[in-house]
Amino acid sequence: DTEVTQTPKHLVMGMTNKKSLKCEQHMGHRAMYWYKQKAKKPPELMFVYSYEKLSINESVPSRFSPECPNSSLLNLHLHALQPEDSALYLCASSQEALAGGGDTQYFGPGTRLTVL
Amino acid sequence: DAKTTQPPSMDCAEGRAANLPCNHSTISGNEYVYWYRQIHSQGPQYIIHGLKNNETNEMASLIITEDRKSSTLILPHATLRDTAVYYCIVRVAGGIYGGSQGNLIFGKGTKLSVKP
């Protein structure tokens, strides 16, 4: 089973709202990722968590706040977003530091976010 | 920036083999070639990866040239459901221990259209 689930599937929010995106995996993976994908563009890495600790932040604005409460869950807290933040937000997970490319990332279906 | 070059689009007749090329002339010895695909508005789906030997799984075959500067993803019997954007990515395996070289950096990919 290589399933990563994300909720909600769609989210519409105003610029003053606070909302959260959720991601869950039960594959025993210890690395989890957030990507952002604008329309007609490839996915771009935002954050990487390893063993529940933030290891990579790709210079993402502070209005995006990630959280990894345990090894199976990853949240992305949103506050004071701008319309240009509208995008597909993708979560992925992988094992860690395995030879042979065993740390393949598996993606969830994404959350389609619209900021009004 | 992505380290790969792919044609922006390709067509394939249903039932025929789809051969998707990828150029990665600057690949390093410790970098793997990964292929993902993304069907419209869904999360990227892992297809296959390899280091230097040809690889085959239930989805596809990956042919890597001896000098490793290019590769070809082969879908042996394309169906309409294989219509998607196909991404070729080179990366260091080993999760975050590969540093930023372990990140998935998506290029623009190849838009494969399978036609009846």
Side-chain angles (χ1 to χ4, degrees):
Chain A
D1 183 14
T2 57
E3 186 177 24
V4 176
T5 59
Q6 291 187 243
T7 56
K9 291 185 178 180
H10 301 276
L11 178 63
V12 179
M13 61 185 290
M15 289 188 286
T16 59
N17 292 156
K18 288 184 180 180
K19 297 287 185 182
S20 296
L21 309 184
K22 297 185 184 299
C23 173
E24 189 167 5
Q25 57 87 16
H26 295 287
M27 296 178 277
H29 290 172
R30 301 310 298 269
M32 298 186 75
Y33 311 76
W34 281 115
Y35 289 80
K36 174 180 178 179
Q37 185 173 25
K38 300 279 284 182
K40 300 187 186 300
K41 298 290 187 181
E44 294 181 342
L45 182 66
M46 300 174 72
F47 302 105
V48 180
Y49 270 83
S50 176
Y51 293 89
E52 295 122 67
K53 293 186 178 179
L54 183 65
S55 61
I56 295 176
N57 177 342
E58 293 287 348
S59 302
V60 179
S62 60
R63 58 185 183 269
F64 295 92
S65 176
E67 177 197 20
C68 191
N70 61 58
S71 61
S72 300
L73 293 174
L74 185 66
N75 297 322
L76 186 62
H77 303 296
L78 314 172
H79 174 55
L81 295 193
Q82 303 297 311
E84 58 264 30
D85 296 320
S86 298
L88 181 68
Y89 288 85
L90 296 160
C91 174
S93 71
S94 70
Q95 295 185 36
E96 280 291 343
L98 296 181
D103 59 333
T104 298
Q105 291 185 31
Y106 296 94
F107 286 80
T111 293
R112 177 75 59 188
L113 174 67
T114 302
V115 182
L116 300 177
Chain B
D1 291 346
K3 297 182 178 181
T4 61
T5 303
Q6 299 177 253
S9 64
M10 293 182 63
D11 290 341
C12 178
E14 189 177 20
R16 304 298 291 269
N19 297 281
L20 293 94
C22 180
N23 188 303
H24 31 80
S25 58
T26 61
I27 192 169
S28 301
N30 62 346
E31 288 183 313
Y32 287 73
V33 180
Y34 279 75
W35 283 84
Y36 283 80
R37 72 180 183 184
Q38 189 171 25
I39 297 169
H40 181 62
S41 294
Q42 298 183 21
Q45 179 187 21
Y46 165 75
I47 301 173
I48 199 167
H49 73 275
L51 182 61
K52 52 184 178 181
N53 297 323
N54 297 338
E55 302 288 345
T56 296
N57 63 21
E58 64 277 5
M59 289 183 67
S61 295
L62 174 60
I63 309 298
I64 302 174
T65 58
E66 191 169 346
D67 63 6
R68 303 210 321 125
K69 292 185 176 181
S70 66
S71 60
T72 300
L73 179 74
I74 301 172
L75 308 178
H77 304 287
T79 71
L80 299 178
R81 289 175 293 180
D82 292 322
T83 292
V85 177
Y86 287 76
Y87 295 103
C88 171
I89 302 167
V90 296
R91 65 179 287 265
V92 174
I96 64 162
Y97 297 101
S100 61
Q101 297 170 312
N103 292 347
L104 281 179
I105 300 174
F106 288 82
K108 296 181 179 179
T110 295
K111 175 76 168 75
L112 176 69
S113 298
V114 181
K115 300 181 183 299

